[in-house]
């Protein structure tokens, strides 16, 4: 499962896994277990570029370790489209997307520990990421779900019925 921040990858991923009776591997949680640091802590200590390299490395591990499972990828994995295409080519890939304003509102409401931006800066970042990352996600996705108007459970049922 791929998508921009706040698209619901973790939430919908868990629900899809439950619908299908499969394990879920969340990129953010796996990163934390492997490094004993949150994404925000890694970014603060070593910088965003290193965080993104680690997120991609963790995705590699998740995809190698997983037999049939639901894997949620960190949004930053789209920053390396060449690597992402190779990693995801044999898998069913679900893209969760919504308008940047919707995602910004969700991110602000969640105020998660790895959210470093807020307000206009957050919206601007999401718009920029949508411009660069959505084409990459679309290139690897076999299923696209607009989660802007859907409840997580409805999105999960739609996805489970499509895979």
């Amino acid at each position: 499962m791929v998508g921009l921040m706040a698209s619901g990858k973790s939430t919908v991923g868990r629900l899809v896994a439950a619908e299908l009776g499969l394990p879920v591997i969340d990129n953010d949680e796996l990163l934390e277990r492997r490094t004993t640091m949150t994404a925000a802590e890694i970014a603060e200590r070593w910088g965003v570029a290193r965080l993104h390299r680690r997120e991609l490395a963790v995705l590699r591990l998740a995809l190698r370790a997983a037999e049939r499972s639901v894997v949620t990828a960190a949004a930053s994995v789209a920053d390396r489209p060449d690597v992402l295409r190779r990693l995801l080519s044999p898998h069913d890939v679900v893209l969760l997307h919504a308008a940047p304003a919707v995602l910004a509102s969700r991110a602000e409401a969640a105020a998660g520990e790895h959210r470093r931006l807020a307000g206009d800066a957050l919206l601007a970042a999401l718009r920029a990421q949508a411009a660069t990352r959505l084409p990459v996600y679309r290139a690897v996705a076999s299923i696209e779900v607009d989660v802007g108007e859907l409840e997580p459970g409805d999105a999960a049922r739609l996805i489970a019925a499509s895979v």
Side-chain angles (χ1 to χ4, degrees), residues 25 58-67 71 87-88 91:
I25 302 172
V58 167
L59 179 60
R60 279 189 184 107
L61 288 173
L63 292 172
R64 279 191 210 129
E67 287 191 18
V71 176
L87 284 174
L88 297 180
H91 304 283

Side-chain angles (χ1 to χ4, degrees), residues 83-126:
V83 176
L84 187 64
R85 283 186 190 100
R86 282 196 314 273
L87 284 174
L88 297 180
S89 65
H91 304 283
D92 289 326
V93 179
V94 177
L95 166 59
L96 302 181
H97 63 87
V102 171
L103 299 177
S105 175
R106 288 181 185 174
E108 293 230 326
E113 69 280 351
H114 64 283
R115 309 271 191 246
R116 295 177 308 281
L117 301 172
D120 290 341
L122 174 61
L123 181 56
L126 282 164

Side-chain angles (χ1 to χ4, degrees), residues 24-151:
V24 63
I25 302 172
D26 184 278
N27 209 114
D28 292 336
E29 291 173 6
L30 186 56
L31 175 72
E32 228 175 288
R33 282 197 309 270
R34 300 227 13 124
T35 64
T36 67
M37 298 173 74
T38 66
E41 291 167 338
I42 294 168
E44 186 176 310
R45 181 181 241 173
W46 291 305
V48 173
R50 188 161 178 186
L51 165 65
H52 291 177
R53 283 193 305 273
R54 286 184 175 236
E55 287 171 332
L56 191 57
V58 167
L59 179 60
R60 279 189 184 107
L61 288 173
L63 292 172
R64 279 191 210 129
E67 287 191 18
R68 185 156 157 75
S69 60
V70 175
V71 176
T72 65
S76 70
V77 299
D79 295 343
R80 292 290 312 274
D82 55 328
V83 176
L84 187 64
R85 283 186 190 100
R86 282 196 314 273
L87 284 174
L88 297 180
S89 65
H91 304 283
D92 289 326
V93 179
V94 177
L95 166 59
L96 302 181
H97 63 87
V102 171
L103 299 177
S105 175
R106 288 181 185 174
E108 293 230 326
E113 69 280 351
H114 64 283
R115 309 271 191 246
R116 295 177 308 281
L117 301 172
D120 290 341
L122 174 61
L123 181 56
L126 282 164
R127 284 181 176 147
Q129 289 172 1
T132 59
R133 292 177 176 175
L134 280 177
V136 175
Y137 296 141
R138 286 193 166 114
V140 297
S142 47
I143 300 166
E144 282 192 43
V145 178
D146 184 338
V147 293
E149 300 284 326
L150 291 175
E151 292 295 321

